[in-house]
Amino acid sequence: MNDLVRQHTALSETELEWLHMLVSEWQLLSDLSFADLVLWVPTLDGTRYVSVAQMRPNTGPTSYQDDMVGHLVPRGRRPLLDAALDEGRIVREGDPEWREEVPVRVESIPVRREGRVLGVIARNTNLLTVRTPSRLELTYLQSASDLAQMIAAGTFPFPGQQVDMDASPRVGDGLIRLDAEGAVTYASPNALSAYHRLGLASDLVGQHLGSITAELAPSRGPVDEALVKLASGWAPRETEIEANGGVIQLRAIPLKPKGTRIGSLVLCRDVTELRRRERELITKDATIREIHHRVKNNLQTVAALLRLQARRMDSDQGREALNEAVRRVGSIAIVHETLSQNLDERVEFDEIADRVIAMVAEISPGKVDCRRTGRFGILDAEVATPLSMVLTEVLQNALEHAFAPGERGTVEVGAVRSGTGRDDARLLITVLDDGRGLPEGFDPQRAGNLGLQIVRTLVEGELGGSFDMRPRPEGGTKVVLDVPAVSQK
């Protein structure tokens, strides 16, 4: 819509924003009218109209099989549009149009903002299934007429009341019509069922909705007065009410077709099961986070025990082996600590990589500069855990074997992520050092210490990637890891 309005019309940004507000709300008008809506805006030169938005009803058959957005029609071809734009009134004159053997009633509703008509809504009703209207349909149509008059007067949508239509109640979820005093004149079957879920034992018609709602809801002191006003439809508001094991959403829409409030629409939706499932998920997420937190604590306890044992070792070789084990356990603990703070089983691995680099760099403080370039991005836990161990082993190997004691140097971890989709996403990780390089005849696929054996096993077996280790032409060693960025399980 933005492109069409800016390309073809003279509307300002604030007027365009008003149209966005209207389009975010007009599913309500479409469903109440049982009709398609098409928004036409006059072009810059005033000789044509351009259709910038379209909505089909959920409550009835469509009048348009094709998409109308982007169509241009000259003035004069559709007289109802001309009359609504020029006279600023709702135009209903004319006989039904026939479209592909379907009779369609066409009406035009001017869209006004601050006294200026910005465009026209063409309301198109498929008359093929017209029958004697029920009480529900009559209430829908009367409410649609009131809303149309408010749009023509510039009082709907409500400024500052942006609504998320995906989360808000819709017409089919439940509709209650109130008079000016807040008494119920009509309640749809779904609306009545929603209130029965809250514990209502009687009918709604004739009752004051605000008072009934406040009686059903748990007492909350001064808030009750606000709840009475909201449920009475005095202002455009949304809320949720929980009582008797049920939860319903309410959305109040004051009706002021001629500037004076004549009543209200209250849309309601039974969200009891939805909220129950959400609470179960929250409980499950909290349980998973607690498990990760306890695993992290247990791993830190293991690392502390290994560290204590290392201090009691007389053998330098044994002490170093235990210290390596401490770092391996620590790298896994870092992942579980990060997972304990997340709502899902995915982690931002850049933070983990930085902590692993800092942890391993402690074995050569002030001698070798370790840094990271590039981004790992968000990884599944099944990838992050083995990858953190792999990174620990590769860095530990570089710091221990690439530099002599006291020698200064640099180790750089680089990460490049490729692939645009989840299935083809991959990580190319390089670990570069400017140390002494590899021994003559060194084969990384066969030779190596326990650390390199762990790297090969995790990269090729656990992650399904590849591992290579080669000399750098400028001196030092280059380790290349190519692994999937998502779990292959």
Side-chain angles (χ1 to χ4, degrees), residues 94-413:
D95 297 326
E97 297 181 2
W98 287 84
R99 299 175 187 164
E100 299 180 356
E101 300 183 355
V102 175
V104 177
R105 182 174 64 242
V106 181
E107 304 167 82
S108 294
I109 304 167
V111 177
R112 193 186 306 272
R113 177 185 178 272
E114 295 183 354
R116 182 181 175 218
V117 177
L118 308 181
V120 179
I121 295 176
R123 181 164 55 178
N124 304 271
T125 307
N126 187 323
L127 301 178
L128 199 61
T129 58
V130 169
R131 62 186 184 278
T132 302
S134 64
R135 177 75 186 280
L136 180 145
E137 290 169 327
L138 289 173
T139 303
Y140 276 24
L141 293 172
Q142 180 57 55
S143 302
S145 176
D146 294 336
L147 281 178
Q149 292 183 57
M150 292 170 65
I151 292 172
T155 57
F156 187 84
F158 302 109
Q161 294 293 324
Q162 198 73 16
V163 175
D164 181 2
M165 292 306 297
D166 291 332
S168 293
R170 299 197 177 195
V171 169
D173 295 325
L175 179 141
I176 301 172
R177 175 82 186 220
L178 308 179
D179 63 17
E181 302 302 320
V184 178
T185 60
Y186 176 79
S188 72
N190 284 348
L192 189 58
S193 295
Y195 266 82
H196 285 166
R197 191 71 176 263
L198 293 182
L200 179 69
S202 60
D203 195 2
L204 275 174
V205 175
Q207 305 266 22
H208 188 278
L209 188 65
S211 300
I212 286 291
T213 304
E215 290 173 7
L216 292 172
S219 177
R220 293 175 294 178
V223 180
D224 287 346
E225 183 178 348
L227 181 59
V228 169
K229 288 186 177 180
L230 186 148
S232 300
W234 286 95
R237 294 285 188 274
E238 289 191 43
T239 192
E240 278 193 11
I241 300 166
E242 183 171 0
N244 197 39
V247 185
I248 66 171
Q249 276 182 313
L250 292 182
R251 182 190 176 197
I253 304 168
L255 297 176
K256 304 176 181 179
K258 297 181 180 179
T260 302
R261 181 174 171 275
I262 64 168
S264 305
L265 283 181
V266 177
L267 303 181
C268 58
R269 178 187 179 197
D270 185 346
V271 293
T272 304
E273 293 304 315
L274 178 62
R275 295 295 176 260
R276 181 185 64 81
R277 290 195 296 271
E278 287 177 351
R279 286 167 185 162
E280 288 179 351
L281 288 175
I282 290 172
T283 302
K284 178 182 176 182
D285 289 339
T287 302
I288 291 173
R289 290 199 299 273
E290 178 62 22
I291 289 172
H292 284 302
H293 182 71
R294 294 189 181 188
V295 169
K296 182 262 296 183
N297 288 344
N298 290 338
L299 288 172
Q300 289 180 337
T301 301
V302 171
L305 292 173
L306 291 173
R307 196 176 292 112
L308 286 173
Q309 186 66 40
R311 291 172 184 169
R312 294 175 175 270
M313 292 289 292
D314 296 329
S315 167
D316 291 340
Q317 186 177 2
R319 186 183 304 109
E320 183 55 35
L322 287 176
N323 285 331
E324 288 182 2
V326 168
R327 286 188 285 272
R328 288 166 185 151
V329 172
S331 67
I332 302 174
I334 291 172
V335 176
H336 282 282
E337 182 180 3
T338 304
L339 287 168
S340 71
Q341 300 168 1
N342 290 345
L343 293 177
D344 54 21
E345 291 292 288
R346 307 187 73 200
V347 295
E348 176 63 65
F349 196 78
D350 295 307
E351 178 185 351
I352 293 175
D354 291 340
R355 293 180 63 181
V356 167
I357 291 170
M359 178 183 67
V360 177
E362 290 179 358
I363 67 175
S364 57
K367 301 173 185 177
V368 179
D369 178 29
C370 297
R371 57 175 179 264
R372 172 179 63 87
T373 61
R375 283 183 52 82
F376 290 86
I378 296 176
L379 301 180
D380 294 339
E382 292 87 347
V383 175
T385 301
L387 187 58
S388 68
M389 285 196 66
V390 168
L391 193 58
T392 301
E393 297 299 332
V394 172
L395 287 170
Q396 191 166 278
N397 189 72
L399 291 171
E400 286 185 358
H401 301 291
F403 305 97
E407 183 181 1
R408 296 189 178 277
T410 302
V411 176
E412 181 178 292
V413 179

